Amino acid sequence: IVEPMQSIHADLTNSADKQRIEETLVILDGLDKFMFTLVQVLTQDSFHTFMREIVHFLPWAWTFFYSYIAIACLVLMNLVTAIIVENAMEQSNLDHELLDAENAA
């Protein structure tokens, strides 16, 4: 997303559009800023404001952000499910050990 935005910025002649794209590039330039932006997108914390600016220059960019949200939510749901199943299996094993200990006594 950053490289196409930078190439569009280099080709722009309209100063208003140049200003808009420069303000948008501030939140995307660098790995740390881009990761912070992705966290903002994942938590859906007012990400539409800058996404509209990006989509103004890159009409396909919405697919990147919504695909990211879908995949990240799926991963997080799988992680939560794995933790729940892990705890249930651990509790089941403890119950079986306790039952075996009671039967042996």
Side-chain angles (χ1 to χ4, degrees):
I1 295 230
V2 176
E3 289 179 19
M5 292 281 284
Q6 289 171 339
S7 65
I8 291 171
H9 179 264
D11 295 339
L12 283 176
T13 56
N14 184 352
S15 63
D17 282 345
K18 265 193 178 272
Q19 179 68 24
R20 286 174 70 185
I21 205 164
E22 285 171 1
E23 291 171 0
T24 305
L25 280 172
V26 167
I27 62 170
L28 299 174
D29 194 26
L31 183 62
D32 56 339
K33 292 178 184 176
F34 193 69
M35 292 300 291
F36 185 79
T37 302
L38 288 178
V39 169
Q40 185 177 0
V41 169
L42 183 59
T43 59
Q44 298 183 4
D45 178 29
S46 303
F47 77 99
H48 287 285
T49 53
F50 64 80
M51 193 175 88
R52 288 175 199 230
E53 292 296 321
I54 293 171
V55 169
H56 175 75
F57 297 103
L58 299 172
W60 55 266
W62 67 271
T63 58
F64 171 78
F65 288 110
Y66 285 113
S67 298
Y68 169 73
I69 291 170
I71 291 169
C73 286
L74 184 68
V75 167
L76 289 175
M77 286 189 297
N78 281 334
L79 181 63
V80 169
T81 303
I83 291 170
I84 291 170
V85 169
E86 173 87 21
N87 288 335
M89 292 295 291
E90 184 177 319
Q91 188 62 41
S92 175
N93 288 338
L94 290 174
D95 290 345
H96 283 292
E97 288 175 8
L98 182 64
L99 186 61
D100 289 344
E102 286 179 2
N103 288 340

